[in-house]
Coordinates of all heavy atoms in Angstrom, one line a residue:
M256 N 15.9 0.4 -0.5 CA 14.8 -0.3 -1.0 C 13.8 0.7 -1.7 O 13.5 1.8 -1.1 CB 14.0 -1.0 0.2 CG 12.7 -1.6 -0.2 SD 11.9 -2.4 1.1 CE 13.0 -3.7 1.6
S257 N 13.4 0.4 -2.9 CA 12.5 1.3 -3.6 C 11.1 0.9 -3.1 O 10.8 -0.2 -2.7 CB 12.6 1.2 -5.1 OG 11.5 0.6 -5.6
S258 N 10.1 1.9 -3.2 CA 8.8 1.6 -2.7 C 8.1 0.6 -3.5 O 7.0 0.1 -3.1 CB 8.0 2.9 -2.6 OG 7.9 3.4 -3.9
S259 N 8.6 0.3 -4.7 CA 7.9 -0.7 -5.5 C 8.3 -2.1 -5.2 O 7.8 -3.1 -5.7 CB 8.1 -0.4 -7.0 OG 9.5 -0.5 -7.3
D260 N 9.3 -2.3 -4.3 CA 9.7 -3.6 -3.9 C 8.7 -4.3 -3.1 O 8.0 -3.7 -2.2 CB 11.1 -3.5 -3.1 CG 12.3 -3.3 -4.0 OD1 12.2 -3.6 -5.2 OD2 13.2 -2.7 -3.5
F261 N 8.5 -5.6 -3.3 CA 7.6 -6.4 -2.5 C 8.2 -7.0 -1.3 O 9.4 -7.3 -1.4 CB 7.0 -7.5 -3.4 CG 6.1 -7.0 -4.5 CD1 6.6 -6.7 -5.8 CD2 4.8 -6.8 -4.3 CE1 5.8 -6.3 -6.8 CE2 3.9 -6.3 -5.3 CZ 4.4 -6.1 -6.5
I262 N 7.5 -7.1 -0.3 CA 7.9 -7.8 0.9 C 7.0 -9.1 0.9 O 5.8 -9.0 0.7 CB 7.5 -7.0 2.2 CG1 8.1 -5.6 2.2 CG2 7.9 -7.8 3.4 CD1 9.5 -5.5 2.7
V263 N 7.7 -10.2 1.1 CA 6.9 -11.5 1.2 C 7.0 -12.0 2.6 O 8.1 -12.1 3.2 CB 7.5 -12.5 0.2 CG1 6.8 -13.8 0.3 CG2 7.5 -12.0 -1.2
I264 N 5.8 -12.2 3.2 CA 5.7 -12.7 4.5 C 5.1 -14.1 4.5 O 4.0 -14.3 4.0 CB 4.8 -11.8 5.4 CG1 5.4 -10.4 5.4 CG2 4.7 -12.3 6.8 CD1 4.5 -9.4 4.9
K265 N 5.9 -15.1 5.0 CA 5.4 -16.5 5.0 C 5.2 -16.9 6.5 O 6.1 -16.9 7.3 CB 6.3 -17.4 4.3 CG 5.8 -18.8 4.3 CD 6.7 -19.8 3.5 CE 6.0 -21.1 3.4 NZ 6.9 -22.1 2.9
A266 N 3.9 -17.2 6.8 CA 3.6 -17.6 8.2 C 4.2 -18.9 8.5 O 4.0 -19.9 7.8 CB 2.1 -17.6 8.4
E267 N 4.8 -19.0 9.7 CA 5.3 -20.3 10.2 C 4.6 -20.9 11.4 O 5.0 -21.8 12.0 CB 6.8 -20.2 10.4 CG 7.6 -20.1 9.1 CD 9.1 -19.8 9.2 OE1 9.6 -19.6 10.3 OE2 9.7 -19.7 8.1
E268 N 3.5 -20.2 11.7 CA 2.5 -20.7 12.7 C 1.2 -20.1 12.4 O 1.1 -19.2 11.5 CB 3.0 -20.3 14.1 CG 2.9 -18.9 14.4 CD 3.3 -18.5 15.9 OE1 3.6 -19.4 16.6 OE2 3.3 -17.3 16.2
D269 N 0.1 -20.6 13.0 CA -1.2 -20.1 12.8 C -1.3 -18.7 13.5 O -0.7 -18.5 14.5 CB -2.3 -21.0 13.3 CG -2.4 -22.3 12.4 OD1 -1.8 -22.3 11.3 OD2 -3.1 -23.2 12.9
G270 N -2.1 -17.8 12.9 CA -2.4 -16.6 13.6 C -1.4 -15.5 13.5 O -1.4 -14.6 14.3
V271 N -0.5 -15.6 12.5 CA 0.5 -14.5 12.3 C -0.2 -13.3 11.8 O -1.1 -13.3 11.0 CB 1.6 -14.9 11.3 CG1 2.5 -13.8 10.9 CG2 2.5 -16.0 11.9
Q272 N 0.1 -12.1 12.4 CA -0.5 -10.9 12.0 C 0.4 -10.0 11.2 O 1.6 -9.8 11.7 CB -1.0 -10.1 13.2 CG -2.4 -10.5 13.7 CD -2.8 -9.7 14.9 OE1 -2.3 -9.9 16.0 NE2 -3.6 -8.7 14.7
V273 N 0.0 -9.5 10.1 CA 0.7 -8.5 9.4 C -0.1 -7.2 9.6 O -1.3 -7.1 9.2 CB 0.8 -8.8 7.9 CG1 1.5 -7.8 7.1 CG2 1.4 -10.2 7.7
I274 N 0.5 -6.2 10.2 CA -0.1 -4.9 10.5 C 0.5 -3.8 9.7 O 1.7 -3.6 9.8 CB 0.0 -4.7 12.0 CG1 -0.6 -5.9 12.8 CG2 -0.7 -3.4 12.4 CD1 -0.2 -5.9 14.2
G275 N -0.4 -3.1 9.0 CA 0.1 -1.9 8.2 C 0.0 -0.7 9.1 O -1.0 -0.4 9.7
L276 N 1.0 0.2 9.1 CA 1.0 1.4 9.8 C 1.0 2.6 8.8 O 1.7 2.5 7.8 CB 2.2 1.5 10.8 CG 2.2 0.6 11.9 CD1 2.9 -0.7 11.6 CD2 2.7 1.2 13.2
T277 N 0.3 3.6 9.2 CA 0.1 4.8 8.2 C 1.3 5.6 8.0 O 2.2 5.7 8.9 CB -1.1 5.7 8.8 OG1 -0.7 6.1 10.1 CG2 -2.4 5.0 8.8
R278 N 1.4 6.2 6.9 CA 2.4 7.2 6.6 C 1.9 8.6 7.0 O 0.7 8.8 7.0 CB 2.7 7.2 5.1 CG 3.9 8.0 4.6 CD 4.1 7.9 3.1 NE 4.4 6.5 2.7 CZ 5.6 5.9 2.9 NH1 6.6 6.5 3.5 NH2 5.8 4.7 2.5
G279 N 2.8 9.5 7.4 CA 2.4 10.8 7.7 C 2.7 11.1 9.2 O 3.4 10.4 9.9
T280 N 2.1 12.2 9.7 CA 2.4 12.7 11.0 C 1.9 11.7 12.1 O 2.6 11.5 13.1 CB 1.6 14.0 11.3 OG1 1.6 14.7 10.1 CG2 2.3 14.8 12.4
D281 N 0.8 11.1 11.9 CA 0.3 10.1 12.8 C 0.7 8.7 12.3 O 0.6 8.4 11.1 CB -1.2 10.0 12.9 CG -1.8 11.3 13.4 OD1 -1.1 12.0 14.1 OD2 -3.0 11.5 13.2
T282 N 1.2 7.9 13.2 CA 1.6 6.5 12.9 C 0.6 5.6 13.6 O 0.7 5.4 14.8 CB 3.0 6.2 13.3 OG1 3.9 7.2 12.7 CG2 3.5 4.9 12.8
K283 N -0.3 5.1 12.8 CA -1.4 4.3 13.4 C -1.6 3.0 12.6 O -1.3 2.9 11.4 CB -2.7 5.0 13.3 CG -2.8 6.2 14.2 CD -4.2 6.8 14.2 CE -4.3 8.0 15.2 NZ -5.4 8.8 14.8
F284 N -2.1 2.0 13.3 CA -2.5 0.7 12.6 C -3.6 1.1 11.7 O -4.6 1.8 12.0 CB -3.0 -0.3 13.6 CG -1.9 -0.9 14.5 CD1 -0.7 -0.4 14.6 CD2 -2.3 -2.1 15.2 CE1 0.3 -1.0 15.4 CE2 -1.3 -2.7 16.1 CZ -0.1 -2.1 16.2
H285 N -3.5 0.6 10.4 CA -4.7 0.8 9.5 C -5.2 -0.4 9.0 O -6.3 -0.5 8.4 CB -4.4 1.8 8.4 CG -3.4 1.4 7.4 ND1 -3.7 0.4 6.5 CD2 -2.1 1.7 7.2 CE1 -2.6 0.2 5.7 NE2 -1.6 0.9 6.2
H286 N -4.4 -1.5 9.0 CA -4.9 -2.8 8.5 C -4.2 -3.9 9.2 O -3.0 -3.8 9.4 CB -4.7 -2.8 7.0 CG -5.3 -4.0 6.3 ND1 -6.5 -4.1 5.8 CD2 -4.8 -5.3 6.2 CE1 -6.8 -5.3 5.3 NE2 -5.8 -6.0 5.5
S287 N -4.9 -5.0 9.5 CA -4.3 -6.1 10.1 C -4.8 -7.4 9.3 O -6.0 -7.5 9.0 CB -4.7 -6.2 11.5 OG -4.4 -7.4 12.1
E288 N -3.9 -8.2 8.9 CA -4.2 -9.4 8.2 C -3.7 -10.6 8.9 O -2.6 -10.5 9.5 CB -3.4 -9.3 6.8 CG -3.9 -10.1 5.7 CD -5.3 -9.7 5.2 OE1 -5.6 -8.5 5.1 OE2 -6.1 -10.7 5.1
K289 N -4.5 -11.7 9.0 CA -4.1 -12.9 9.8 C -3.7 -13.9 8.8 O -4.4 -14.2 7.8 CB -5.2 -13.3 10.7 CG -5.1 -12.7 12.0 CD -5.7 -13.6 13.1 CE -5.4 -13.0 14.5 NZ -6.3 -13.4 15.5
L290 N -2.6 -14.5 9.0 CA -2.1 -15.6 8.2 C -2.0 -16.9 9.0 O -1.5 -16.9 10.1 CB -0.7 -15.3 7.5 CG -0.5 -14.0 6.8 CD1 0.9 -13.9 6.3 CD2 -1.5 -14.0 5.6
D291 N -2.4 -18.0 8.4 CA -2.1 -19.3 9.1 C -0.9 -20.0 8.4 O -0.4 -19.6 7.4 CB -3.4 -20.2 8.9 CG -4.5 -19.7 9.8 OD1 -4.2 -19.1 10.9 OD2 -5.7 -20.0 9.5
T292 N -0.4 -21.0 9.1 CA 0.8 -21.7 8.7 C 0.9 -21.9 7.2 O -0.1 -22.5 6.6 CB 0.9 -23.1 9.4 OG1 0.8 -22.9 10.8 CG2 2.3 -23.7 9.1
G293 N 1.9 -21.5 6.6 CA 2.1 -21.8 5.1 C 1.6 -20.7 4.2 O 1.9 -20.6 3.1
E294 N 0.7 -19.9 4.8 CA 0.1 -18.8 4.0 C 1.1 -17.7 3.8 O 2.0 -17.4 4.6 CB -1.2 -18.2 4.6 CG -2.3 -19.2 4.6 CD -3.6 -18.6 5.1 OE1 -3.6 -17.8 6.0 OE2 -4.7 -19.0 4.6
V295 N 1.0 -17.1 2.6 CA 2.0 -16.1 2.2 C 1.2 -14.8 1.9 O 0.2 -14.8 1.3 CB 2.7 -16.6 0.9 CG1 3.5 -15.5 0.3 CG2 3.7 -17.7 1.3
M296 N 1.8 -13.7 2.3 CA 1.3 -12.4 1.9 C 2.4 -11.6 1.2 O 3.5 -11.6 1.6 CB 0.8 -11.6 3.1 CG 0.2 -10.3 2.8 SD -0.7 -9.6 4.2 CE -0.9 -7.9 3.6
I297 N 2.0 -11.0 0.1 CA 3.0 -10.2 -0.7 C 2.5 -8.8 -0.5 O 1.3 -8.5 -0.8 CB 3.0 -10.7 -2.2 CG1 3.3 -12.2 -2.2 CG2 3.9 -9.8 -3.0 CD1 2.9 -12.8 -3.5
A298 N 3.3 -7.9 -0.1 CA 2.9 -6.5 0.2 C 3.9 -5.5 -0.2 O 5.1 -5.8 -0.4 CB 2.6 -6.4 1.7
Q299 N 3.5 -4.3 -0.4 CA 4.4 -3.2 -0.7 C 4.2 -2.0 0.3 O 3.1 -1.9 0.9 CB 4.0 -2.6 -2.1 CG 4.5 -3.4 -3.3 CD 4.0 -2.8 -4.5 OE1 2.8 -2.6 -4.7 NE2 4.9 -2.5 -5.5
F300 N 5.2 -1.2 0.4 CA 5.0 0.1 1.0 C 4.4 1.0 0.0 O 4.7 1.0 -1.2 CB 6.4 0.7 1.5 CG 7.0 -0.2 2.6 CD1 8.0 -1.1 2.4 CD2 6.5 -0.1 3.9 CE1 8.5 -1.8 3.4 CE2 7.0 -0.9 4.9 CZ 8.0 -1.7 4.7
T301 N 3.4 1.8 0.5 CA 2.6 2.7 -0.4 C 2.5 4.1 0.2 O 3.1 4.4 1.2 CB 1.2 2.1 -0.5 OG1 0.5 2.3 0.7 CG2 1.2 0.7 -0.9
E302 N 1.8 4.9 -0.5 CA 1.5 6.2 -0.1 C 0.8 6.2 1.3 O 0.9 7.1 2.1 CB 0.5 6.8 -1.2 CG 0.0 8.2 -1.0 CD -1.2 8.5 -2.0 OE1 -1.4 7.7 -2.9 OE2 -1.8 9.5 -1.8
H303 N 0.1 5.1 1.6 CA -0.7 5.0 2.8 C 0.1 4.2 3.9 O -0.3 4.3 5.1 CB -2.0 4.3 2.6 CG -2.8 5.0 1.5 ND1 -3.4 6.3 1.7 CD2 -3.2 4.7 0.2 CE1 -4.0 6.7 0.6 NE2 -3.9 5.7 -0.3
T304 N 1.0 3.4 3.5 CA 1.7 2.5 4.4 C 3.2 2.7 4.5 O 3.9 2.6 3.5 CB 1.5 1.0 3.9 OG1 0.1 0.8 3.8 CG2 2.1 0.0 4.9
S305 N 3.6 3.1 5.7 CA 5.1 3.5 5.8 C 5.8 2.4 6.6 O 7.1 2.4 6.5 CB 5.2 4.8 6.5 OG 4.8 4.6 7.9
A306 N 5.1 1.5 7.3 CA 5.8 0.5 8.1 C 4.8 -0.7 8.2 O 3.6 -0.6 8.0 CB 6.1 1.1 9.4
M307 N 5.4 -1.8 8.5 CA 4.6 -3.0 8.8 C 5.2 -3.6 10.1 O 6.4 -3.6 10.3 CB 4.8 -4.0 7.7 CG 4.2 -3.5 6.4 SD 4.5 -4.8 5.1 CE 4.9 -3.7 3.7
K308 N 4.2 -4.2 10.8 CA 4.6 -4.9 12.0 C 4.2 -6.3 11.9 O 3.0 -6.6 11.5 CB 3.9 -4.2 13.2 CG 4.1 -5.0 14.5 CD 3.6 -4.2 15.7 CE 3.6 -5.0 17.0 NZ 3.4 -4.1 18.1
I309 N 5.0 -7.2 12.1 CA 4.7 -8.7 12.0 C 4.7 -9.3 13.4 O 5.7 -9.2 14.1 CB 5.8 -9.4 11.2 CG1 6.2 -8.7 9.9 CG2 5.3 -10.9 10.9 CD1 5.1 -8.5 8.9
R310 N 3.6 -9.9 13.8 CA 3.5 -10.5 15.1 C 3.3 -12.0 14.9 O 2.5 -12.4 14.1 CB 2.2 -10.0 15.7 CG 2.2 -9.7 17.1 CD 0.9 -9.1 17.6 NE 1.1 -7.8 18.2 CZ 0.1 -6.9 18.4 NH1 -1.1 -7.2 17.9 NH2 0.4 -5.8 19.0
G311 N 4.2 -12.8 15.5 CA 4.2 -14.2 15.4 C 5.3 -14.7 14.5 O 6.2 -13.9 14.1
K312 N 5.4 -16.0 14.4 CA 6.6 -16.7 13.8 C 6.4 -16.7 12.2 O 5.4 -17.3 11.7 CB 6.8 -18.1 14.3 CG 8.0 -18.8 13.7 CD 8.3 -20.1 14.5 CE 9.4 -20.9 13.9 NZ 10.6 -20.2 13.6
A313 N 7.3 -16.0 11.6 CA 7.2 -15.8 10.1 C 8.6 -15.6 9.5 O 9.5 -15.2 10.2 CB 6.3 -14.7 9.8
S314 N 8.7 -15.9 8.2 CA 9.9 -15.5 7.5 C 9.5 -14.4 6.6 O 8.5 -14.4 5.9 CB 10.6 -16.7 6.8 OG 9.8 -17.2 5.9
I315 N 10.3 -13.3 6.7 CA 10.0 -12.1 6.0 C 11.1 -11.9 4.9 O 12.3 -11.8 5.3 CB 10.0 -10.9 7.0 CG1 8.9 -11.2 8.1 CG2 9.7 -9.6 6.3 CD1 9.3 -10.7 9.4
H316 N 10.7 -11.9 3.7 CA 11.7 -11.8 2.6 C 11.7 -10.4 2.0 O 10.7 -10.0 1.6 CB 11.4 -12.9 1.5 CG 11.3 -14.3 2.0 ND1 12.3 -15.2 1.7 CD2 10.5 -14.9 2.9 CE1 12.0 -16.3 2.3 NE2 10.9 -16.2 3.1
T317 N 12.8 -9.7 2.1 CA 12.9 -8.4 1.6 C 14.1 -8.3 0.7 O 14.9 -9.2 0.6 CB 13.1 -7.3 2.8 OG1 14.5 -7.4 3.2 CG2 12.2 -7.6 4.0
A318 N 14.2 -7.1 0.1 CA 15.4 -6.8 -0.8 C 16.7 -6.9 0.0 O 17.7 -7.1 -0.6 CB 15.2 -5.5 -1.5
N319 N 16.6 -6.7 1.3 CA 17.8 -6.8 2.1 C 18.1 -8.1 2.7 O 19.0 -8.3 3.5 CB 17.6 -5.7 3.3 CG 17.5 -4.3 2.7 OD1 18.2 -3.9 1.9 ND2 16.5 -3.6 3.2
G320 N 17.3 -9.1 2.4 CA 17.5 -10.4 2.9 C 16.3 -11.0 3.6 O 15.2 -10.4 3.5
V321 N 16.5 -12.1 4.3 CA 15.4 -12.8 5.0 C 15.6 -12.6 6.5 O 16.7 -12.7 7.0 CB 15.4 -14.3 4.6 CG1 14.3 -15.0 5.3 CG2 15.4 -14.5 3.1
I322 N 14.5 -12.3 7.1 CA 14.5 -12.1 8.6 C 13.4 -13.1 9.1 O 12.4 -13.2 8.6 CB 14.0 -10.6 8.9 CG1 14.9 -9.6 8.2 CG2 14.0 -10.4 10.4 CD1 14.1 -8.5 7.6
E323 N 13.8 -13.6 10.3 CA 12.8 -14.5 10.9 C 12.3 -13.8 12.2 O 13.0 -13.4 13.0 CB 13.6 -15.8 11.4 CG 14.2 -16.6 10.3 CD 13.2 -17.4 9.4 OE1 12.1 -17.7 9.9 OE2 13.6 -17.6 8.2
S324 N 10.9 -13.7 12.2 CA 10.3 -13.2 13.4 C 10.0 -14.3 14.3 O 9.9 -15.5 13.9 CB 9.1 -12.3 13.1 OG 8.1 -13.2 12.5
E325 N 10.0 -14.1 15.6 CA 9.9 -15.1 16.6 C 8.4 -15.2 17.1 O 7.7 -14.2 17.1 CB 10.8 -14.9 17.8 CG 12.3 -14.8 17.4 CD 12.9 -16.1 16.8 OE1 12.4 -17.2 17.2 OE2 13.8 -16.0 16.0
S326 N 8.1 -16.3 17.7 CA 6.8 -16.5 18.3 C 6.8 -16.1 19.7 O 7.8 -16.1 20.4 CB 6.4 -18.0 18.2 OG 5.1 -18.2 18.7
K327 N 5.7 -15.6 20.2 CA 5.5 -15.2 21.6 C 4.9 -16.4 22.4 O 4.9 -16.4 23.6 CB 4.6 -14.0 21.7 CG 5.3 -12.8 22.4 CD 4.4 -11.6 22.4 CE 3.2 -11.8 23.3 NZ 2.4 -10.6 23.4
K328 N 4.3 -17.4 21.6 CA 3.6 -18.5 22.2 C 4.5 -19.4 23.0 O 5.6 -19.6 22.6 CB 2.8 -19.3 21.1 CG 1.6 -18.5 20.6 CD 1.0 -19.3 19.4 CE 0.0 -18.4 18.7 NZ -0.5 -19.0 17.5
Ligands
LIG278 N1 -4.6 0.1 1.4 C1 -3.2 -0.2 1.9 C2 -2.2 0.7 1.1 O1 -2.4 0.9 -0.1 C3 -2.9 -1.7 1.6 C4 -1.6 -2.1 2.0 C5 -0.4 -2.0 1.3 C6 -1.2 -2.8 3.2 N2 0.6 -2.5 1.9 C7 0.2 -3.0 3.1 C8 -1.8 -3.3 4.4 C9 0.9 -3.6 4.1 C10 -1.1 -3.9 5.3 C11 0.2 -4.1 5.3 O2 -1.3 1.1 1.7

């Protein structure tokens, strides 16, 4: 995957969290976005973001295919 590829996250329940983790020696949460059912976030990996954590039920569309995250509720 090239860093210019977009990740599309579609929330399948209310309160899905998309959390960005920092690039570099420290891996920390730097941004958290809440999505409600049907809302979509389009994101990229950047100089500042090396990883993303998705909490809640969502479909995550990447260059490698579609992944379904599960709900904890
Ligand atoms: N300021 C962040 C950055 O440039 C914005 C961002 C990009 C982001 N991709 C993200 C935030 C993914 C959360 C999740 O890296």
Side-chain angles (χ1 to χ4, degrees):
M256 176 182 293
S257 113
S258 63
S259 62
D260 285 334
F261 290 93
I262 305 276
V263 178
I264 300 123
K265 183 173 183 191
E267 286 174 358
E268 68 179 357
D269 290 347
V271 168
Q272 274 183 283
V273 180
I274 302 161
L276 291 93
T277 56
R278 189 176 297 283
T280 325
D281 295 341
T282 306
K283 292 187 177 161
F284 287 13
H285 67 74
H286 186 91
S287 168
E288 200 65 46
K289 270 210 171 154
L290 305 178
D291 287 335
T292 308
E294 288 185 327
V295 166
M296 182 165 164
I297 303 162
Q299 283 176 304
F300 292 103
T301 69
E302 180 190 348
H303 305 292
T304 304
S305 66
M307 293 178 221
K308 174 170 172 169
I309 316 293
R310 220 177 237 161
K312 186 169 169 54
S314 61
I315 303 146
H316 301 251
T317 76
N319 299 313
V321 183
I322 304 138
E323 300 288 334
S324 61
E325 305 294 332
S326 182
K327 242 177 64 173
K328 286 176 192 168

